[in-house]
Amino acid sequence: MAATTPPKVVFEHEGVFIHSSPDESEDQDLISGFLRIVEKDGETLVEYKPLEDTDPSNMLCACKDSSSVVEWTQSSEDNPHRPLDHQLSYETEWDMINAVSFRRKVHAHGDGGSNHANDRNKWAFSFNVCDLRSITVKCEGWSYIIFRLKDGTALPAIHFHQGGSTAFLDSLRKSVQINESPDDESVLIVSTYSKAFSQSFENLLDDSNYGFVQKFKKDPYTTTLGGFSKVTNYLFDAFRAPDLECQQRPAEEVADLLGELIPGLEINQQEEPGFEVITRLDLGPRPEVQRRGPVTMEEWAKYQDSEGRITNVPHLKDVIFKGGLCHAVRKEAWKFLLNYFPWNSTHEERKLLQKRKTDEYFRMKLQWKSVSEEQERRNSRLRDYRSLIEKDVNRTDRNNKFYEGLDNPGLILLHDILMTYCMYDFDLGYVQGMSDLLSPILYVMENEVDAFWCFVSFMDEMHENFEEQMQGMKTQLIQLSTLLRLLDLAFWNYLEAQDSGYLYFCFRWLLIRFKRELHFQDVLRLWEVMWTRLPCQNFHLLVCCAILDSEKQKIMDRKYGFNEILKHINELSMKLDIEEILIKSEAICMQIKNCKDLPHSVSDILGLNTVVVPSAALETSEYGILESPQTSPRSTHRQDHLVSNGHSHLKETTHNGCKVAFIS
């Protein structure tokens, strides 16, 4: 890849005009061109170029289809235009969805053509959004806008004869703050974010006031995905008086503020009645565990009968948990682990299932592909989903060869699957972080349809993490705190004394299952191990405990405070050893299971007190978990999925008034 990052077009709209004369004279020219928002070298630029000013070779290859991020390639008359994802279509009867194209009108190089282009050259302009003071928006049968720069310059009015002004302003709001003028409702006042702050908070927050609290409440995901250490540094800077650095607000004040950001998250609940009071427990020694090598293609084949059914599923899950999978096995095995394929299905049954799921997928894809610009203008939610997806896709795993570079078909598929998921679950739609969950699945599947349905299954498990009320995140943080207090009360008390008892520093771990903490290949290993649902329920919480167990001595010996803890945890990213973590996580699980007087709340979190009556149809894994090879280990319907992710256990426990408090 090039040493410098190429400019990235984040918004582009064709068919905007400049009127060469401000009056309505009959001989005035309508200067047709492109309006773009471009990110270049860390800066955001707004550009307008008349059609004739653009490179003719780009007329056919640089524009985007109105319903996709598909890049178009120039072709001969014998080879008509086709999007790059055409070759990745899986059913020829659905190719029509990916084949709608249009051409830009190329200026004819004939008599006077060059002079005509030079005459219009003067209408092109470009400016940095930091130099923008205000935008005037008016309507004369169509909308037009006037940019006014901070130096007083008023640029020519841009007329949106074919619509698109709202989409332009929505895209611009991602880079600058736009507020209506109190004196004139047609004037929008533009203010820029602090550069350092916008990098930390992904352009969500204001630069110098406490308005960021409400915005952080609205979208904590972006903040945590951006890096907690930068966020925390900004919080302290924001609370420091401008000229008196010594007047820094104490850490507990900032911690209280963070405590308000996820409403309802109460970890210390000792004041509430109905607690199960437990003294310090002796968990006994932590057993040693061994891991094995990954399952090979030869081993995988041995678990299939002549018709393709998977046999001895519990034992197969055991070996996958103990060693993971060779990459060559993943494409097939993940479909079973994610319940896309039933374990007891035959080769023929799976072929029929794939055909049916392909039809279902492309019907949903057609729904958003066929939405016209007029329709989308009246559907703000779809516009918002599309805008957010396009923004996230362009920054997801771009260092991975599968997604790197321009015109990458992997990015196209990533975009299309996420847009189609919005049609599958329009209530949830798209939330930042979901692209991180899809990326490894698409990388393994290399197939649009298979990746979609595997992603659907994964989202059934992760759905509550992304809901507006964040119930899944609240629950998991409370559960993690409960486990940490059981495993190491002294460390938990230390964190509590540093106003870190809420464990916010684990938010990103839980939200996207360690996706940004581990190297890409290690993420694949961790996820397939967790998808076995062994050796207990909510094993990912024990993974968190294992990481904290490895870091606790350093945190306590160096007397890290609130800010240092967040910074330290954030800096662990890409420094973690996945095999060491998995060994310690399994050992912790076995240690807890060996405890005779385990608190009910802990048993509920890990699913250790579930009573199941064995039957002939059930097989038992090494870890004593009863499973049926004839059924999926969990329901694919979200409303029935609460038990498998542990959230309903917590709710039930709370409902019965049984909570846990520890006495040191």
Side-chain angles (χ1 to χ4, degrees):
M1 296 184 65
T4 58
T5 303
K8 181 175 70 174
V9 177
V10 296
F11 174 88
E12 181 179 45
H13 187 67
E14 178 187 354
V16 292
F17 296 84
I18 290 179
H19 295 190
S20 62
S21 173
D23 56 28
E24 297 300 324
S25 59
E26 294 182 1
D27 58 345
Q28 74 166 340
D29 283 337
L30 297 183
I31 313 298
S32 175
F34 304 96
L35 186 64
R36 297 187 180 101
I37 300 177
V38 179
E39 291 180 356
K40 181 179 181 181
D41 298 330
E43 297 182 337
T44 303
L45 308 176
V46 175
E47 296 180 349
Y48 173 82
K49 291 186 178 181
L51 274 174
E52 288 77 5
D53 289 344
T54 58
D55 183 351
S57 65
N58 289 334
M59 296 296 183
L60 294 174
C61 69
C63 85
K64 296 179 180 179
D65 174 49
S66 60
S67 59
S68 178
V69 294
V70 174
E71 297 285 348
W72 300 87
T73 55
Q74 195 165 6
S75 60
S76 65
E77 293 299 323
D78 297 331
N79 182 23
H81 279 69
R82 284 184 180 268
L84 293 181
D85 64 343
H86 173 74
Q87 59 183 327
L88 300 170
S89 298
Y90 306 105
E91 294 290 335
T92 54
E93 58 263 34
W94 287 107
D95 282 351
M96 55 168 287
I97 295 179
N98 298 317
V100 179
S101 64
F102 63 88
R103 294 172 177 262
R104 297 180 181 175
K105 181 180 179 181
V106 183
H107 184 268
H109 294 286
D111 295 339
S114 177
N115 292 334
H116 186 64
N118 291 333
D119 184 55
R120 295 191 169 201
N121 204 22
K122 63 181 182 180
W123 298 105
F125 63 77
S126 174
F127 61 84
N128 192 311
V129 294
C130 294
D131 298 326
L132 185 59
R133 173 185 292 173
S134 67
I135 306 172
T136 301
V137 183
K138 294 191 176 182
C139 184
E140 292 183 356
W142 59 81
S143 297
Y144 70 90
I145 61 178
I146 301 172
F147 300 110
R148 187 173 295 275
L149 306 183
K150 291 179 179 179
D151 62 5
T153 302
L155 298 174
I158 301 294
H159 295 257
F160 292 81
H161 290 184
Q162 302 171 13
S165 60
T166 301
F168 168 76
L169 292 173
D170 287 344
S171 185
L172 189 61
R173 284 187 174 93
K174 298 172 187 175
S175 303
V176 295
Q177 186 173 2
I178 299 177
N179 296 305
E180 189 176 294
S181 169
D183 302 321
D184 186 348
E185 62 181 14
S186 68
V187 176
L188 302 175
I189 305 300
V190 178
S191 57
T192 55
Y193 305 113
S194 162
K195 183 176 182 181
F197 196 34
S198 65
Q199 291 173 348
S200 302
F201 280 74
E202 302 289 343
N203 300 331
L204 280 180
L205 312 177
D206 203 346
D207 59 346
S208 61
N209 57 56
Y210 293 104
F212 69 83
V213 175
Q214 294 301 322
K215 295 178 181 179
F216 194 6
K217 279 185 179 181
K218 184 177 180 181
D219 193 352
Y221 305 105
T222 311
T223 304
T224 55
L225 294 179
F228 250 132
S229 62
K230 295 179 183 178
V231 170
T232 313
N233 288 333
Y234 183 82
L235 289 174
F236 280 110
D237 291 341
F239 288 145
R240 185 182 293 127
D243 300 319
L244 301 174
E245 293 191 6
C246 59
Q247 296 183 5
Q248 178 176 328
R249 298 197 181 192
E252 59 268 19
E253 195 165 336
V254 185
D256 290 341
L257 174 66
L258 282 175
E260 297 174 1
L261 299 179
I262 304 182
L265 181 56
E266 297 285 346
I267 293 180
N268 292 319
Q269 306 176 60
Q270 283 85 346
E271 297 180 359
E272 298 184 18
F275 274 85
E276 175 188 7
V277 180
I278 300 173
T279 57
R280 185 191 300 269
L281 293 176
D282 181 9
L283 294 176
R286 187 170 295 172
E288 293 186 6
V289 299
Q290 298 292 327
R291 288 184 58 76
R292 51 155 284 167
V295 176
T296 64
M297 285 294 291
E298 293 75 15
E299 287 180 282
W300 176 259
K302 292 178 181 178
Y303 285 92
Q304 298 186 43
D305 65 19
S306 59
E307 294 184 318
R309 297 182 184 87
I310 306 298
T311 60
N312 200 358
V313 174
H315 186 267
L316 175 58
K317 287 188 175 183
D318 285 340
V319 296
I320 294 174
F321 174 78
K322 281 290 190 179
L325 298 160
C326 286
H327 189 70
V329 182
R330 285 178 173 140
K331 184 178 293 188
E332 183 175 4
W334 278 25
K335 296 169 188 173
F336 292 93
L337 290 171
L338 286 167
N339 303 304
Y340 175 36
F341 286 168
W343 293 94
N344 63 334
S345 61
T346 65
H347 290 305
E348 291 303 316
E349 288 169 341
R350 292 196 286 272
K351 287 181 182 178
L352 292 174
L353 174 65
Q354 281 183 301
K355 187 177 189 310
R356 187 170 71 251
K357 289 296 187 179
T358 296
D359 290 342
E360 187 176 351
Y361 172 79
F362 279 109
R363 287 191 191 97
M364 289 186 289
K365 185 174 181 179
L366 181 59
Q367 291 173 357
W368 65 266
K369 279 279 195 178
S370 59
V371 171
S372 67
E373 186 176 342
E374 283 293 324
Q375 287 177 296
E376 190 165 324
R377 190 175 299 122
R378 295 186 292 271
N379 192 331
S380 59
R381 290 183 66 187
L382 183 61
R383 285 200 313 271
D384 291 344
Y385 290 157
R386 186 194 296 274
S387 174
L388 196 55
I389 287 170
E390 291 180 355
K391 179 180 179 181
D392 278 7
V393 160
N394 284 324
R395 59 187 182 186
T396 299
D397 292 323
R398 296 308 299 275
N399 293 326
N400 187 305
K401 289 186 180 296
F402 191 79
Y403 298 109
E404 72 178 0
L406 300 175
D407 304 331
N408 189 307
L411 297 179
I412 297 166
L413 294 180
L414 202 63
H415 169 275
D416 287 3
I417 292 171
L418 292 171
M419 283 296 297
T420 305
Y421 186 82
C422 292
M423 300 296 103
Y424 175 82
D425 188 345
F426 204 83
D427 287 341
L428 178 64
Y430 179 79
V431 180
Q432 282 185 300
M434 288 167 58
S435 63
D436 279 289
L437 299 185
L438 172 60
S439 171
I441 295 175
L442 178 59
Y443 170 83
V444 168
M445 293 299 149
E446 299 180 304
N447 179 297
E448 182 176 6
V449 176
D450 291 343
F452 173 81
W453 290 111
C454 289
F455 175 66
V456 164
S457 181
F458 195 20
M459 280 302 301
D460 284 344
E461 180 179 339
M462 303 292 290
H463 194 277
E464 286 193 337
N465 283 14
F466 298 95
E467 291 173 358
E468 186 175 358
Q469 297 303 315
M470 292 184 291
Q471 185 58 50
M473 294 306 302
K474 298 175 191 177
T475 299
Q476 289 174 86
L477 287 170
I478 293 172
Q479 291 175 331
L480 178 57
S481 178
T482 301
L483 293 173
L484 189 60
R485 281 181 286 177
L486 172 73
L487 293 167
D488 197 325
L489 185 57
F491 181 47
W492 186 88
N493 283 334
Y494 178 85
L495 294 177
E496 179 70 7
Q498 307 306 318
D499 298 291
S500 297
Y502 288 117
L503 306 181
Y504 284 116
F505 48 80
C506 298
F507 191 99
R508 186 173 68 185
W509 298 359
L510 299 171
L511 178 69
I512 52 176
R513 288 295 191 270
F514 308 96
K515 169 62 167 53
R516 302 213 182 163
E517 319 312 316
L518 302 168
H519 292 288
F520 195 84
Q521 292 299 322
D522 290 344
V523 172
L524 307 185
R525 172 73 75 242
L526 176 63
W527 285 8
E528 64 199 11
V529 166
M530 292 194 299
W531 289 337
T532 64
R533 280 83 187 174
L534 297 176
C536 63
Q537 184 175 273
N538 285 317
F539 181 66
H540 67 285
L541 297 180
L542 297 184
V543 173
C544 294
C545 292
I547 298 173
L548 293 175
D549 184 75
S550 298
E551 300 300 321
K552 67 180 180 181
Q553 209 58 47
K554 184 180 295 183
I555 291 173
M556 296 173 72
D557 289 349
R558 298 181 182 181
K559 296 181 172 55
Y560 282 164
F562 174 81
N563 192 38
E564 291 82 8
I565 293 172
L566 289 177
K567 184 174 185 293
H568 176 71
I569 294 298
N570 188 72
E571 291 175 349
L572 292 177
S573 178
M574 303 302 153
K575 299 176 183 177
L576 299 171
D577 185 321
I578 185 59
E579 290 300 318
E580 178 184 314
I581 291 170
L582 288 172
I583 289 172
K584 182 170 287 191
S585 303
E586 183 182 358
I588 290 173
C589 180
M590 294 174 66
Q591 183 184 28
I592 292 175
K593 284 184 175 183
N594 292 336
C595 179
K596 295 181 180 179
D597 300 317
L598 199 62
H600 292 299
S601 57
V602 174
S603 297
D604 284 342
I605 292 169
L606 300 180
L608 302 180
N609 58 359
T610 303
V611 179
V612 181
V613 179
S615 69
L618 295 174
E619 300 179 40
T620 307
S621 74
E622 175 186 336
Y623 297 94
I625 296 176
L626 297 173
E627 298 186 50
S628 169
Q630 305 300 318
T631 58
S632 169
R634 66 179 175 85
S635 171
T636 56
H637 299 289
R638 189 172 306 113
Q639 59 267 31
D640 300 325
H641 181 60
L642 289 173
V643 173
S644 69
N645 63 24
H647 299 164
S648 63
H649 291 305
L650 183 85
K651 295 175 183 175
E652 182 179 353
T653 303
T654 304
H655 176 72
N656 292 335
C658 180
K659 301 176 184 175
V660 60
F662 285 76
I663 299 177
S664 57

